[in-house]
Amino acid sequence: MYQYTSATDGIELASSSSKQTLLQVLQEARERIQVNDDELDEARRRRDLLAGTLKAEFGADSRTYVNGSIAHGDALTPLTDIDLGIVIPNPDGVYGPLGKGPAELQNRAAAAIRAAHKSEFPNLRVYVNGRKRSVYVSFGDPVDPDVTDFSADVIVALDDGTGAGLWIPHYDTWDRSAPETHTTLVRAAAKSSGYNYSRTVRLLKHWSRRHSKPLCSWNVKALGLDSLADSMNQLEGMLAWFDHAIDDLTWRDTPDPANVAGAIGVPGDRSELVDKLRKAQDKLVEAITHEKDGYNVLAVEALSSFFNDKDMLPPPEAKEVTAQQLKRTADMRAARPSRLSVGDRPQTRSRTPTRSWAP
């Protein structure tokens, strides 16, 4: 396990007159990807509109819950969707694994949403058929100008009268899950860590997004619940997360933190996933090692390469990277002991005089 120790004097960034540590560089990068207030306010407004419509449709005894990145406090910009659930009263057991499937309730939710919000959102589209779990709501109107749409995943759910958690749709039947508990666990981790958990998760989600999403967002967060301690900064947190993720995913899927649903599966080949995680961690360690050794430009260049997003974390200029690579090579040569030295005295070899010709 690699332990991060910040350079005491910081590093002077290329094209910057101020001195910054990698942590400061990372903070600026994180601020570029976190959701802005205008996006967040509009997303919450739309979520509240849907919640009100669903409560009106399913009655006062129903309850809504929030889930996903906005509820968890780790949303990225551009913001493209929201997650919302409605827990529907089912006192007679009409619905559920021993009763009706979710389609009837999903169609009621979809019809109510269309009727209530089509006037404000003329391009509104609501889908039920073919969906695995959610009623899909496409507003046809983004909250961020850099994307083309904004959507909502609406889950119709039932209380599980036999144990913890909820019954949620799985095509035409039901699965057990615990989205309310998940949100409680994530919020508790965020608060107890001074929100280091949320900040580190946001960075890891962005790394995943820039590397073909080897893990879903919920898997990133679930692994973080077991690895992100309250005393960690974001560099320490990412290193600890990679350590834990590599160790855990090598041999198993991530268990449900609420111990209700099944394990969180991984896409693709497990060995390829773990190899990708190891390579990413190596690049992060490279950045930290360069900072510790005083090679400021190489540290930022490696961190930029780790995220693979020039808008989030621009790399230094190529000529400055080359100059510091040459300096590092020269420093390494200067520090290398001479092969002809023994102790502090040069090694000498006795030689027998020879002539270049024979008689």
Side-chain angles (χ1 to χ4, degrees):
M1 178 177 179
Y2 187 97
Q3 296 289 335
Y4 167 69
T5 304
S6 178
T8 55
D9 294 330
I11 59 175
E12 186 176 353
L13 288 179
S15 67
S16 173
S17 59
S18 63
K19 288 188 175 181
Q20 294 181 297
T21 66
L22 275 183
L23 281 174
Q24 292 168 330
V25 174
L26 192 62
Q27 177 180 339
E28 292 181 358
R30 178 174 51 79
E31 290 171 354
R32 295 186 187 103
I33 61 172
Q34 68 186 31
V35 65
N36 64 59
D37 289 342
D38 290 341
E39 290 178 281
L40 202 54
D41 289 345
E42 178 59 15
R44 286 173 172 161
R45 185 185 78 85
R46 296 187 192 187
R47 187 182 65 187
D48 291 345
L49 288 175
L50 295 179
T53 297
L54 294 169
K55 285 279 291 180
E57 175 64 23
F58 292 106
D61 291 336
S62 65
R63 71 179 186 275
T64 58
Y65 66 85
V66 293
N67 201 21
S69 63
I70 295 177
H72 295 170
D74 50 55
L76 297 169
T77 191
L79 192 59
T80 58
D81 60 3
I82 49 176
D83 297 276
L84 175 67
I86 176 81
V87 184
I88 299 165
N90 187 37
D92 300 323
V94 174
Y95 304 96
L98 299 179
K100 293 183 181 180
E104 184 178 308
L105 299 175
Q106 289 176 315
N107 282 316
R108 279 181 61 186
I113 291 168
R114 290 188 195 100
H117 305 296
K118 186 71 172 178
S119 59
E120 181 178 357
F121 303 100
N123 296 319
L124 183 76
R125 294 169 295 166
V126 187
Y127 302 99
V128 174
N129 292 339
R131 301 287 299 173
K132 181 178 179 179
R133 299 200 186 281
S134 68
V135 176
Y136 181 77
V137 180
S138 167
F139 287 93
D141 182 14
V143 300
D144 186 288
D146 292 333
V147 294
T148 58
D149 198 4
F150 185 77
S151 64
D153 284 311
V154 176
I155 299 289
V156 297
L158 310 171
D159 276 312
D160 182 357
T162 64
L166 303 173
W167 291 109
I168 65 171
H170 183 101
Y171 294 112
D172 58 355
T173 185
W174 303 87
D175 270 348
R176 290 184 70 208
S177 188
E180 292 168 304
T181 303
H182 293 162
T183 296
T184 298
L185 290 171
V186 168
R187 286 177 169 176
K191 186 175 181 180
S192 66
S193 67
Y195 298 95
N196 167 69
Y197 171 90
S198 304
R199 293 165 185 151
T200 305
V201 162
R202 180 177 286 118
L203 291 166
L204 291 165
K205 284 171 56 179
H206 188 71
W207 168 83
S208 178
R209 185 165 70 176
R210 296 293 300 177
H211 292 80
S212 303
K213 293 187 177 179
L215 292 171
C216 71
S217 294
W218 175 232
N219 206 345
V220 171
K221 297 179 199 184
L223 290 164
L225 290 172
D226 289 331
S227 58
L228 299 178
D230 55 359
S231 61
M232 295 179 179
N233 58 48
Q234 278 80 74
L235 281 171
E236 293 169 334
M238 286 194 292
L239 285 173
W241 183 91
F242 276 108
D243 273 333
H244 175 64
I246 290 166
D247 288 345
D248 211 52
L249 291 170
T250 296
W251 65 281
R252 67 171 182 173
D253 291 337
T254 307
D256 174 29
N259 296 315
V260 172
I264 308 167
V266 298
D269 181 80
R270 183 177 304 277
S271 62
E272 291 179 2
L273 167 63
V274 172
D275 184 59
K276 178 175 282 191
L277 295 176
R278 286 197 179 105
K279 288 179 179 177
Q281 186 184 47
D282 287 345
K283 182 59 68 172
L284 188 60
V285 169
E286 179 185 335
I288 294 168
T289 302
H290 283 322
E291 180 192 43
K292 185 177 180 180
D293 292 344
Y295 301 110
N296 59 307
V297 177
L298 298 185
V300 176
E301 194 272 338
L303 192 61
S304 176
S305 176
F306 168 82
F307 283 110
N308 190 34
D309 185 350
K310 294 180 180 180
D311 293 327
M312 177 234 195
L313 205 167
E317 293 184 11
K319 64 180 181 181
E320 294 177 320
V321 173
T322 300
Q324 198 155 91
Q325 287 172 335
L326 293 172
K327 181 181 185 303
R328 179 171 176 267
T329 299
D331 291 345
M332 292 173 66
R333 287 175 177 169
R336 188 182 305 154
S338 172
R339 290 179 296 175
L340 296 179
S341 296
V342 177
D344 295 327
R345 299 182 62 184
Q347 181 181 4
T348 61
R349 291 180 290 180
S350 60
R351 303 185 62 180
T352 301
T354 63
R355 289 181 291 182
S356 61
W357 52 274

